């Protein structure tokens, strides 16, 4: 015998993304709503900003936009950011099109026939760079891009306090590899691709920064999975 299923009509909320939190038993909490562009037709879920939390991208046909909603990992989303798309956005796909470690979007138009490409670029520099001290050298990390561990070499001309940190493209601290005194000479430290809070860092672009009293310098490394 097949049990009858009944559906509760949804409230008329135009241009909204409905999020249903799962209960783990096949049921769901009542939905929460976030406003998006007019007549959304396609949706993709991915970590778009490299913070380890899932975000949402929607193609809005009548609005001719793509809406991006950044997730906080608990089912809540920031106010949307809209990007224009020629001819009405009918469908979208996500991929790292320019191989810089960040997801990009290709958006199919409804009319006229065509595709809009949205290539993501780092929004910072939240890790400001200064000219390196003559007694300080931060060298290229290897391998780069990296799938797991990254070796970061640097050189010091004199004993000094060193802080070596990893930041994401939004300038948030991901990991601190060292905060202590080092002797002069060549040194290497390894980042194993994890966050200080635990768990693997998401694929994307990161900055490793070497800071000493009065000086700091940063370089970029790409993590792929």
């Amino acid at each position: 015998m097949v049990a009858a299923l009944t559906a509760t009509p949804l409230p008329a909320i135009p241009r909204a993304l409905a999020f249903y939190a799962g209960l783990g038993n096949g049921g769901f909490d009542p939905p929460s709503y976030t406003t998006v562009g007019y007549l959304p037709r396609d949706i993709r879920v991915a970590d778009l900003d490299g913070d380890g939390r899932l975000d949402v991208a929607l193609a809005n046909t009548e609005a001719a936009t793509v809406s991006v909603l950044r997730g906080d990992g608990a089912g809540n989303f920031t106010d949307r950011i809209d990007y224009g798309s020629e001819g009405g956005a009918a469908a979208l796909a996500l991929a790292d099109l320019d191989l810089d470690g960040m997801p990009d979007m290709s958006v199919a138009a409804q009319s006229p026939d065509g595709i809009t490409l949205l290539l993501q670029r780092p929004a910072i520099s939240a890790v400001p760079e200064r000219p390196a001290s003559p007694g300080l050298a931060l060298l290229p990390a290897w391998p780069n891009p990296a799938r797991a561990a990254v070796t970061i070499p640097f050189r010091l001309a004199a004993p000094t306090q060193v802080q070596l940190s990893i930041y994401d493209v939004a300038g948030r601290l991901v990991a601190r590899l060292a905060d202590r005194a080092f002797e002069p000479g060549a040194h290497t430290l390894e980042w194993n691709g994890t966050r200080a809070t635990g768990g693997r860092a998401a694929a994307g672009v990161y900055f490793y920064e070497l800071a000493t009293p009065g000086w700091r310098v940063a370089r970029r490394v790409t993590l792929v999975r």
Side-chain angles (χ1 to χ4, degrees):
M1 178 177 178
V2 178
L5 297 177
T6 60
T8 302
L10 293 177
I13 300 179
R15 304 185 306 166
L17 169 72
F19 171 75
Y20 297 80
L23 301 176
N25 60 0
F28 299 88
D29 275 336
S32 59
Y33 296 94
T34 301
T35 302
V36 298
Y38 187 64
L39 194 57
R41 176 167 290 184
D42 198 10
I43 185 171
R44 293 291 182 270
V45 177
D47 180 10
L48 298 175
D49 55 7
D51 66 353
R53 304 181 183 98
L54 291 176
D55 311 301
V56 174
L58 300 104
N60 307 307
T61 301
E62 291 299 322
T65 60
V66 173
S67 294
V68 173
L69 306 170
R70 291 180 57 192
D72 66 357
N76 304 307
F77 299 92
T78 60
D79 292 338
R80 76 180 191 271
I81 302 173
D82 289 334
Y83 300 90
S85 176
E86 290 292 331
L92 59 85
L94 301 176
D96 183 6
L97 300 174
D98 52 5
L99 300 179
D100 65 352
M102 294 181 289
D104 309 302
M105 280 189 270
S106 55
V107 187
Q110 178 172 265
S111 177
D113 295 339
I115 293 177
T116 299
L117 297 180
L118 300 175
L119 302 179
Q120 191 169 183
R121 293 287 182 262
I124 70 169
S125 182
V127 184
E129 291 195 33
R130 295 178 57 182
S133 160
L136 171 68
L138 180 61
L139 305 174
W142 51 273
N144 188 11
R147 292 191 175 276
V150 180
T151 298
I152 301 172
F154 61 96
R155 289 197 302 265
L156 302 172
T160 187
Q161 185 74 18
V162 167
Q163 192 175 85
L164 186 61
S165 307
I166 308 293
Y167 295 89
D168 64 18
V169 293
R172 294 178 291 249
L173 179 67
V174 174
R176 181 148 288 151
L177 306 184
D179 189 1
R180 60 182 176 85
F182 282 77
E183 294 298 316
H187 303 273
T188 60
L189 289 173
E190 184 177 278
W191 180 41
N192 62 3
T194 62
R195 296 178 174 273
T197 54
R200 296 199 311 169
V205 174
Y206 295 87
F207 293 86
Y208 57 100
E209 181 200 68
L210 180 65
T212 64
W215 290 95
R216 61 192 302 187
V217 62
R219 286 179 174 268
R220 190 170 79 167
V221 64
T222 299
L223 193 63
V224 297
R225 296 299 190 189

